[in-house]
Amino acid sequence: MDFSPVSLCCSFLVVLLSCFAAISKPVVASEDCEFPAIFNFGDSNSDTGGFPAAFFQPPLPYGQTFFHRQSGRYTDGRVMIDFIANNVGLPFLSAYLDSVGSNFSHGVNFATAAATATLPGFIYPGGGFSPFYLSIQLDQFSQFKNRSQIARGRGGVYEELMPEEEYFEEGLYTIDIGHNDLAEGLYSNMSVQQVNATVPDIIRNISAHVKGLYNLGGRSFWIHNTDPMGCLPYLLVSFPDVAAQSDSIGCAKLFNQISQHFNSKLKEAVIQLRKELPSAAITYVDVYSVKYELLSHPDKYGFEHPLVACCGYGGKYNYSNAGICGETINVNGTDIFIGACDRPSVRAIWDGIHYTEAANKFVFDRISSGAFTDPPVSLKMACHREDSR
């Protein structure tokens, strides 16, 4: 075989380029994402002031741990989206509905407490659910994207308070919703089978939301599944017969089965979305497993009384429909203020419905590493599509 200098040079070049190609792809994929903004959608698990701006602020002791004041959050301190923003080097998100002191230069929070993925049957103040359900949140985002750029064009403070145009494609889109849809079914006296039958419609709405955001420029999605709802005092107290059918840690098995069914269908939908939206990086985040682990082994992680509300009044779970956290109720002629426990930092459940800041941080620390995500990717790598990692 003839090995001329030219052929040897060409062969060496081919090998060199092949080696470079082999090593360059992982190097690119291993780079942290630089998200310039976050656009969040959801319910009270990630509301940072939306519902309070539209209706009323949750009173102290909500906000006492970190902000030391009312903060528009439904916990004692920070919610999950606060930890997400901090992790990627961004400030806390202002609520879209909050017209006082908001700064949207690095993202917007469209989440509101009591929000659903589907149109709720009863809307506050005539019922228990937010009028700002997921389709409305998408409409709000669409308007914001257009109007924010018009505002930026005016210069000055308007330019400083609005995101740059490219942030809509480069930003992280976070979604945490679905729990209230399931709860609405339960409070409508549906059976477990009937609630499960509503799941496909809920998932379709979430999928449509992701597609809508994608069509508006979104490319990086971080989607939380729902929590073990059978472990929350407000449901355990409201449905004692179901609560009596408990698992080894005291959670209602049937309600957790609803959560598990929802989560399995959500994961299937995410897999399908990856096929339909090939330019998107979509991460499914299993908060259910982390929360259930915390509630199952509280001592292991420095927590105590896992199913008992820190801020509440009465009964086995320190929760009662007679009054909620921050209210003053009259018991046998005596006014009683429903305040917080002495050490929220070692409690998982805040008010019978939501988790404490300590629990939120516990969950965030585990999901952000990629140990509980599909694909297994850390938050800072969530801009990379699965086929490019």
Side-chain angles (χ1 to χ4, degrees), residues 214 218-221 273-274 277-282 383-386:
Y214 182 87
R219 291 296 180 267
S220 301
F221 298 90
L273 284 168
R274 292 189 190 123
L277 310 176
S279 296
I282 309 176
C383 64
H384 300 296
R385 295 192 307 278
E386 188 173 10

Side-chain angles (χ1 to χ4, degrees), residues 174-192:
T174 52
I175 301 170
D176 187 335
I177 202 163
H179 176 106
N180 290 326
D181 297 84
L182 304 175
E184 181 181 21
L186 295 174
Y187 279 105
S188 298
N189 294 318
M190 289 185 180
S191 66
V192 170

Side-chain angles (χ1 to χ4, degrees), residues 147-372:
R147 296 176 63 196
S148 65
Q149 298 313 294
I150 295 173
R152 275 185 61 85
R154 297 171 64 181
V157 68
Y158 300 102
E159 184 176 5
E160 295 173 3
L161 295 177
M162 297 296 162
E164 297 180 25
E165 184 175 5
E166 58 268 26
Y167 287 6
F168 292 98
E169 182 174 344
E170 298 171 357
L172 177 66
Y173 290 76
T174 52
I175 301 170
D176 187 335
I177 202 163
H179 176 106
N180 290 326
D181 297 84
L182 304 175
E184 181 181 21
L186 295 174
Y187 279 105
S188 298
N189 294 318
M190 289 185 180
S191 66
V192 170
Q193 292 74 20
Q194 289 172 322
V195 174
N196 282 339
T198 69
V199 167
D201 190 42
I202 301 169
I203 299 299
R204 273 193 297 271
N205 278 34
I206 295 174
S207 293
H209 181 73
V210 174
K211 292 175 184 177
L213 293 173
Y214 182 87
N215 291 335
L216 290 167
R219 291 296 180 267
S220 301
F221 298 90
W222 182 265
I223 303 175
H224 291 189
N225 67 10
T226 201
D227 54 6
M229 59 194 304
C231 301
L232 294 175
Y234 88 102
L235 290 175
L236 294 172
V237 169
S238 297
F239 301 93
D241 291 341
V242 177
Q245 303 175 54
S246 61
D247 61 16
S248 60
I249 67 170
C251 299
K253 289 188 291 186
L254 290 177
F255 289 164
N256 278 352
Q257 288 170 9
I258 293 174
S259 294
Q260 292 163 3
H261 177 68
F262 172 88
N263 291 341
S264 68
K265 295 303 179 183
L266 179 63
K267 189 172 184 178
E268 290 176 7
V270 167
I271 294 171
Q272 181 61 33
L273 284 168
R274 292 189 190 123
K275 297 175 182 177
E276 297 180 25
L277 310 176
S279 296
I282 309 176
T283 306
Y284 170 87
V285 186
D286 184 12
V287 298
Y288 178 103
S289 294
V290 184
K291 288 181 176 179
Y292 194 78
E293 168 65 17
L294 171 60
L295 298 175
S296 299
H297 305 99
D299 295 344
K300 180 179 178 181
Y301 304 109
F303 286 76
E304 60 187 28
H305 310 304
L307 302 186
V308 179
C310 170
C311 187
Y313 177 81
K316 178 180 179 181
Y317 305 105
N318 195 35
Y319 180 88
S320 169
N321 292 322
I324 59 175
C325 180
E327 288 186 342
T328 297
I329 60 175
N330 188 279
V331 179
N332 298 324
T334 302
D335 287 339
I336 297 177
F337 175 72
I338 303 178
C341 59
D342 291 335
R343 295 196 299 157
S345 62
V346 298
R347 302 291 283 274
I349 305 297
W350 168 243
D351 58 1
I353 305 171
H354 308 98
Y355 286 77
T356 60
E357 175 184 279
N360 288 332
K361 186 178 188 305
F362 175 89
V363 176
F364 171 77
D365 287 343
R366 282 146 186 83
I367 63 173
S368 62
S369 70
F372 291 87

